Amino acid sequence: MGGLSAQHPWAFTFGLLGNVISFMTYLAPLPTFYRIYKNKSTQGFQSVPYVVALFSAMLWIYYALLKSDEYLLITINTAGCVIETIYIVLYLAYAPKQARLFTAKILLLLNVGVFGLILLLTLLLTAGERRVVMLGWVCVGFSVCVFVAPLSVIRLVVRTRSVEFMPFSLSLSLTASAVVWFLYGLLIKDKYVALPNILGFAFGVIQMGLYALYRNATPIPAPKEMDAPESEDGAVKAPEHVVNIAKLGTAAAAIELNTNHPVEPPPPMKEGTAKACATGEKLDKATHVEQV
């Protein structure tokens, strides 16, 4: 009974604490989706982090079911699957057609194609303990790939000397989650749960160190490649700062922080003001003709 056995009271404690921290991390994007629902628009938010989080939760549920005693992994990742599915459904409901098609393609490719391939290969090519080992290393490999994602954020913080791209609360959550799930994996002697969280802890500590270093620093203007891009019609889009922080020890929560600052158009001129402006322009032209 792994973490639930009376022989592993500390494992159960850390696993339960990990469930709480991971659940709160899964709920972190709620303000984002409240804005999407309220404005009936995705406002430039990306769906990829939520699709990846759903895939990770599915992968860890499969691993926990094969182990047959990882109940604390099943509980948090089941909750993750439900929450991420709700996020994706809301996104699809309000996303523009192009973004909706892209999200559907990613879902089919990753959550159906890749997951189905992993399921098929592990069932056909391996059996018993070998199947658990093979899937365990797949989970470790995917976790490492996602943990490397914050490197781009770290690079941006160093280049701009600004921590607005890397909120301290998320870095702290990443670090605490990594510590808790590492201890859980260590106590139940599951290296596939413990190993990825060593890397997660390292990145979390680096991020908090950078926050302490640059929180009072004078920001440097972002490089040209970070400037606001132009849309298809030539209009300049509002700046969008995206931070993807993925936590993958036993559950993945990819959180995207998007600080969109739309530029409001100037208020329309009243009819009288417009006529006065037009009259003024005519008078200016007439005066100019008389002077010539």
Side-chain angles (χ1 to χ4, degrees):
M1 289 281 292
L4 297 180
S5 172
Q7 298 177 357
H8 301 283
W10 283 109
F12 175 74
T13 301
F14 284 118
L16 192 61
L17 186 58
N19 270 249
V20 173
I21 295 174
S22 299
F23 185 75
M24 296 303 294
T25 307
Y26 275 126
L27 294 181
L30 275 178
T32 295
F33 282 91
Y34 177 73
R35 285 176 58 188
I36 290 175
Y37 171 75
K38 185 178 179 180
N39 297 318
K40 301 295 186 290
S41 169
T42 54
Q43 299 179 314
F45 290 100
Q46 301 297 314
S47 62
V48 175
Y50 312 106
V51 175
V52 171
L54 177 61
F55 175 76
S56 174
M58 293 167 59
L59 203 59
W60 282 106
I61 287 175
Y62 179 35
Y63 172 78
L65 289 174
L66 287 183
K67 289 275 292 189
S68 74
D69 57 359
E70 301 281 2
Y71 297 104
L72 291 174
L73 292 186
I74 294 175
T75 54
I76 185 56
N77 286 292
T78 301
C81 278
V82 173
I83 293 170
E84 298 300 336
T85 300
I86 293 172
Y87 289 159
I88 293 169
V89 169
L90 280 173
Y91 185 90
L92 290 173
Y94 298 112
K97 183 178 180 181
Q98 187 175 0
R100 195 180 300 129
L101 289 174
F102 176 76
T103 302
K105 289 177 182 178
I106 294 296
L107 273 171
L108 289 174
L109 176 64
L110 191 62
N111 298 73
V112 178
V114 176
F115 183 78
L117 183 62
I118 292 172
L119 190 67
L120 192 64
L121 291 177
T122 51
L123 290 176
L124 294 179
L125 301 181
T126 57
E129 187 63 27
R130 289 185 61 189
R131 182 179 298 162
V132 175
V133 171
M134 180 179 178
L135 183 60
W137 284 114
V138 169
C139 291
V140 170
F142 183 74
S143 300
V144 169
C145 290
V146 178
F147 268 131
V148 172
L151 282 176
S152 59
V153 179
I154 292 173
R155 178 171 173 264
L156 185 60
V157 169
V158 173
R159 294 178 68 183
T160 62
R161 299 173 62 86
S162 172
V163 294
E164 78 168 296
F165 306 103
M166 190 178 64
F168 181 79
S169 59
L170 292 179
S171 300
L172 181 62
S173 174
L174 173 71
T175 307
S177 178
V179 170
V180 168
W181 285 114
F182 169 76
L183 291 173
Y184 174 77
L186 191 67
L187 289 170
I188 65 172
K189 299 178 181 179
D190 191 332
K191 61 184 177 183
Y192 307 113
V193 173
L195 283 176
N197 288 288
I198 297 175
L199 188 62
F201 173 75
F203 279 124
V205 170
I206 291 172
Q207 290 178 19
M208 289 193 296
L210 287 174
Y211 186 91
L213 182 63
Y214 292 119
R215 63 176 180 172
N216 295 322
T218 302
I220 297 175
K224 291 183 178 180
E225 58 265 27
M226 295 303 299
D227 291 344
E230 291 188 356
S231 60
E232 293 180 358
D233 57 359
V236 178
K237 294 181 179 179
E240 180 179 300
H241 303 149
V242 178
V243 180
N244 293 331
I245 299 183
K247 177 196 61 59
L248 262 169
T250 56
I255 303 167
E256 180 181 81
L257 301 181
N258 184 320
T259 56
N260 249 340
H261 307 288
V263 180
E264 297 182 0
M269 291 189 297
K270 295 180 180 180
E271 185 177 351
T273 307
K275 288 181 178 179
C277 291
T279 305
E281 289 179 1
K282 290 179 180 178
L283 290 173
D284 290 341
K285 289 180 181 178
T287 304
H288 179 69
V289 171
E290 289 175 2
Q291 290 176 352
V292 174

